[in-house]
Amino acid sequence: MAHRLAAEFVGTFWLVLGGCGAAVFAADPAEDKSVGIGFLGVSLAFGLTVLTGVYAFGVISGGHFNPAVTLGAALAKRVEWKALPAYWITQVLGGLVAGAVIYLIAKGKPGFTATGHLAANGYGDHSPFGYSLAAVAITEILLTFIFLLVILGATDNRAPKGFAGLAIGLTLTLIHLISIPISNTSVNPARSTGVAFFNGDGAPAQLWVFWLAPLVGAAIAGVLYPLLFGHGEELADRPVRDDALER
């Protein structure tokens, strides 16, 4: 378990550092917006962190890096329930440490103000384009639901081996392309928590949505996946893994 938690900590740290760090440092680093990576670049950054993290650490912990993924995996009997509290705590800590690192680096730029500039998630006035609470909640539930279906399908023992990380990373990229303008994209409570308190500007007060909605979407997927697609293998006593990586 210690090794699994270490993998989840590092993987979640990498996800938040890579994804939110790209949004803070590279999305629009100068008045000349042509040098920034924009929404597309940030979307790719999040996808690449998960892709690389799954291949590096998936064989150890299952490569969740996300409390919603752990919940969905537990409901689908891909990880043991007793691991869930420890995974959640470790994932949140990894996100918070990454948020602190981003904050410390960003403060090194003259004139930088953390308030409202640390890639926090939000709705209403704190949504990038002013989307309502209902719109944000529906988006987060639906996209987390799809994300979990892809994760459970790509890691099913009936799936082609060796491609799980690629499928999961590209799906997260697409999710960000859809929803950055809506909510700044969460689908991951640890990612949202990691930067909310450093960002301020209403983000901590709205954090509940970015826990509740992803967990609801993941729970629905975890329950429905085996009902819709059957069981390839019962994995209640070990984490989600790609068999090709185990070899």
Side-chain angles (χ1 to χ4, degrees), residues 117-128:
H117 296 97
L118 278 182
N121 304 114
Y123 60 84
D125 291 341
H126 303 292
S127 160

Side-chain angles (χ1 to χ4, degrees), residues 67-94:
V69 173
T70 303
L71 176 63
L75 286 166
K77 298 183 179 179
R78 301 290 190 87
V79 67
E80 67 274 29
W81 278 102
K82 65 183 180 181
L84 187 143
Y87 266 47
W88 278 19
I89 292 169
T90 301
Q91 290 156 355
V92 170
L93 289 175

Side-chain angles (χ1 to χ4, degrees), residues 22-236:
V24 172
F25 304 128
D28 181 19
E31 291 183 5
D32 179 5
K33 292 181 171 55
S34 65
V35 304
I37 62 174
F39 288 170
L40 175 59
V42 174
S43 299
L44 285 170
F46 273 102
L48 288 170
T49 61
V50 170
L51 187 155
T52 54
V54 167
Y55 282 120
F57 308 117
V59 69
I60 302 167
S61 69
H64 297 182
F65 320 139
N66 182 338
V69 173
T70 303
L71 176 63
L75 286 166
K77 298 183 179 179
R78 301 290 190 87
V79 67
E80 67 274 29
W81 278 102
K82 65 183 180 181
L84 187 143
Y87 266 47
W88 278 19
I89 292 169
T90 301
Q91 290 156 355
V92 170
L93 289 175
L96 285 168
V97 172
V101 170
I102 293 170
Y103 173 77
L104 289 172
I105 294 172
K107 291 290 285 183
K109 179 182 178 181
F112 176 80
T113 301
T115 303
H117 296 97
L118 278 182
N121 304 114
Y123 60 84
D125 291 341
H126 303 292
S127 160
F129 286 85
Y131 282 84
S132 67
L133 169 59
V136 167
I138 291 168
T139 301
E140 290 289 330
I141 291 170
L142 178 59
L143 292 181
T144 310
F145 169 75
I146 296 297
F147 190 37
L148 262 292
L149 288 184
V150 171
I151 291 171
L152 294 172
T155 55
D156 195 303
N157 72 317
R158 296 168 290 180
K161 307 306 178 185
F163 295 98
L166 186 62
I168 294 166
L170 289 176
T171 301
L172 189 61
T173 299
L174 178 55
I175 285 171
H176 279 77
L177 288 172
I178 295 168
S179 60
I180 285 178
I182 301 170
S183 64
N184 244 0
T185 310
S186 174
V187 303
N188 183 341
R191 169 263 188 268
S192 299
T193 304
V195 296
F197 297 98
F198 299 101
N199 181 91
D201 193 33
Q206 295 188 351
L207 191 57
W208 66 272
V209 179
F210 301 101
W211 271 88
L212 181 62
L215 292 178
V216 169
I220 295 171
V223 171
L224 286 185
Y225 183 86
L227 295 177
L228 292 173
F229 308 118
H231 291 275
E233 181 185 2
E234 293 292 334
L235 298 174

